């Protein structure tokens, strides 16, 4: 596995962990905050961010009756996903 693929995999894992933490803290709330950590200097991350936003938008377009909403906070890892993950705590 190349270093670039590892970076993207780690970014996804951080996103997943942050979303699980947000769900735990705000299950009773109508808004769930989700952190998205991407290396915004890469083309893959820009495309991934676009797809994530489209997926959330499409989901709520089909499921307009859902009261709980995701609030995405995108942060640039600045080519250091470990440092970005630590900054999230």
């Amino acid at each position: 596995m190349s270093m670039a693929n590892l970076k993207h995999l780690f970014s996804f894992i951080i996103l997943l962990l942050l979303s699980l933490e947000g769900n735990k803290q705000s299950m009773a709330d109508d808004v769930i905050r989700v952190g998205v950590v991407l290396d915004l200097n890469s083309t893959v991350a820009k495309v991934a961010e676009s797809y994530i936003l489209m997926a959330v938008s499409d989901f709520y377009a089909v499921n307009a009756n859902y009261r709980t909403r995701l609030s995405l906070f995108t942060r640039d890892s600045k080519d250091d996903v470990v440092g970005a993950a630590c900054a999230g705590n």
Side-chain angles (χ1 to χ4, degrees):
M1 197 174 234
S2 72
M3 184 59 81
N5 288 339
L6 286 175
K7 283 183 186 180
H8 297 297
L9 176 63
F10 192 79
S11 294
F12 175 76
I13 291 170
I14 295 300
L15 167 67
L16 181 63
L17 291 174
L18 289 173
S19 69
L20 291 175
E21 182 66 26
N23 287 340
K24 206 170 33 171
Q25 291 179 349
S26 60
M27 278 196 168
D29 297 342
D30 289 329
V31 176
I32 297 175
R33 297 169 46 126
V34 178
V36 180
V37 180
L38 298 169
D39 180 11
L40 295 177
N41 291 327
S42 74
T43 305
V44 172
K46 290 175 186 173
V47 171
E49 181 183 26
S50 175
Y51 286 168
I52 291 168
L53 294 174
M54 272 194 294
V56 170
S57 177
D58 289 350
F59 176 81
Y60 288 120
V62 172
N63 300 290
N65 61 325
Y66 278 44
R67 290 186 52 227
T68 304
R69 300 288 173 174
L70 295 179
S71 177
L72 302 178
F73 295 92
T74 304
R75 297 290 183 257
D76 186 3
S77 70
K78 297 181 179 156
D79 209 27
D80 180 19
V81 290
V82 174
C86 292
N89 292 333

